[in-house]
Amino acid sequence: MSYLAIVDLGSNSARMVVEELHKDGTYTEIVREKQDTRIAQNMGAELILQEEPMARTIGALRYFQTRYARFEPEVRAITTAAVRTAQNQSEFLKRVKAATGITFQVLTGDQEAYYDYLGVQATLKVDAGVILDTGGASVELIAINHAKNMAAVSLPFGAVNLSEQFMLANDVIQSNIEVASEYIVQSYQNLPWLSSQKGQPVILLGGANRSLARMARTRSGEAEINQIHGYEMSYELVMSIFDEIRYMTRADREQVAGLETTRADIIISGLLPLVNLMRLIEAPKVIFSESGVREGLIAETLSQRHD
């Protein structure tokens, strides 16, 4: 029996899965863990990882090790936008290595988008649409036509840094939402290939987007609000929920059914990449995917083993 552990250090949270790999090329998830590490917190314009988030993250990585060590797995550890852009990236990764023995691969934006595509196609089989993966410090956009990856980009904004930059964490001034939206749309308009995706659905990845699904499923009385893979929402429902929470105080958002309390300060900023994308390409609906970068890595690992 062989096992694969994937440690995924994102800008807002760290996740770990252990997969049991089968000889027929399939796999079974046996451990799943998540910690809200928020490594991107207070990086600022200088893009410096701060002491408290770094210490919090290393503590989470040590905990992950206690959960996967007994399986003696192959370990693939990846990290994305916050560490990718950090001026003190090297110092942080050396510190992680010394404290845990884990060696992280820092994914480029193109690599992150590629693994998102692999992960989505492994389970959803999308023929056409735009994949949107909203992280803490970046978003990845991938255009799919005829089930092929036609174009991809990583943009340097996400739920955490948008919240900090445009003051969207607490009781939000509505004009700040509009300024943030203008910034996002301007970035989108620099992508000429987006215009060819008009009228196509958006396939959603990332924590803020998962929160949107849970809020919608709670509202409709679904018993299993966390079962969101393949779940669809109309444009009208997405905008209805966003228009409700944008006017709430932070305290009110902390009470919204289906929304994690720890995301109340980044849910508005986390949904802005989506709502502006849907408006721009006139997307009729969204489709949620639970498969992304981690599942893309699994697919690649299995492919390499069977080559």
Side-chain angles (χ1 to χ4, degrees), residues 183-226:
Y183 168 72
I184 292 167
V185 170
Q186 187 174 31
S187 296
Y188 288 165
Q189 288 174 336
N190 290 328
L191 308 173
W193 49 264
L194 264 184
S195 61
S196 67
Q197 301 301 108
K198 283 210 168 181
Q200 300 291 358
V202 179
I203 298 90
L204 289 178
L205 302 167
N209 296 325
R210 285 189 291 270
S211 292
L212 172 65
R214 286 192 290 266
M215 286 187 285
R217 289 177 68 80
T218 300
R219 174 191 282 199
S220 63
E222 300 284 349
E224 298 293 339
I225 65 169
N226 291 314

Side-chain angles (χ1 to χ4, degrees), residues 38-89:
R38 205 168 285 195
I39 188 69
Q41 188 173 38
N42 298 324
M43 286 180 71
E46 300 81 12
L47 297 176
I48 302 294
L49 298 171
Q50 299 299 308
E51 175 57 33
E52 185 176 339
M54 287 194 290
R56 190 165 58 224
T57 298
I58 290 171
L61 296 175
R62 283 177 168 151
Y63 168 69
F64 288 166
Q65 287 182 308
T66 68
R67 298 285 287 125
Y68 68 65
R70 67 188 177 93
F71 299 101
E72 299 182 358
E74 174 188 349
V75 178
R76 293 195 67 177
I78 58 164
T79 187
T80 51
V83 176
R84 179 165 67 231
T85 60
Q87 294 297 312
N88 56 339
Q89 174 197 118

Side-chain angles (χ1 to χ4, degrees), residues 137-306:
S138 72
V139 298
E140 282 65 52
L141 291 163
I142 303 100
I144 299 177
N145 282 314
H146 305 295
K148 301 295 184 184
N149 177 357
M150 305 302 292
V153 69
S154 180
L155 299 173
F157 55 78
V160 176
N161 55 11
L162 283 173
S163 181
E164 293 177 355
Q165 183 177 350
F166 296 100
M167 295 177 289
L168 302 175
N170 298 310
D171 298 352
V172 177
I173 298 170
Q174 294 302 303
S175 59
N176 288 352
I177 293 178
E178 303 312 319
V179 174
S181 292
E182 289 172 11
Y183 168 72
I184 292 167
V185 170
Q186 187 174 31
S187 296
Y188 288 165
Q189 288 174 336
N190 290 328
L191 308 173
W193 49 264
L194 264 184
S195 61
S196 67
Q197 301 301 108
K198 283 210 168 181
Q200 300 291 358
V202 179
I203 298 90
L204 289 178
L205 302 167
N209 296 325
R210 285 189 291 270
S211 292
L212 172 65
R214 286 192 290 266
M215 286 187 285
R217 289 177 68 80
T218 300
R219 174 191 282 199
S220 63
E222 300 284 349
E224 298 293 339
I225 65 169
N226 291 314
Q227 293 181 2
I228 66 169
H229 190 67
Y231 177 59
E232 298 185 5
M233 287 175 64
S234 68
Y235 170 86
E236 291 76 17
L237 182 53
V238 171
M239 295 303 169
S240 173
I241 291 176
F242 180 74
D243 285 340
E244 282 184 20
I245 64 172
R246 68 178 291 172
Y247 295 107
M248 291 180 178
T249 65
R250 177 169 174 172
D252 287 340
R253 294 196 300 275
E254 288 177 352
Q255 302 304 313
V256 172
L259 177 63
E260 296 170 272
T261 302
T262 54
R263 287 194 180 272
D265 62 330
I266 57 171
I267 188 61
I268 292 175
S269 54
L271 293 180
L272 280 178
L274 169 62
V275 298
N276 285 289
L277 178 63
M278 293 192 81
R279 288 171 181 151
L280 187 66
I281 68 168
E282 300 172 13
K285 65 179 180 180
V286 298
I287 306 168
F288 292 88
S289 174
E290 283 278 44
S291 298
V293 168
R294 288 179 298 281
E295 289 73 20
L297 282 165
I298 295 167
E300 180 184 71
T301 300
L302 289 170
S303 174
Q304 290 169 349
R305 290 189 174 197
H306 288 84

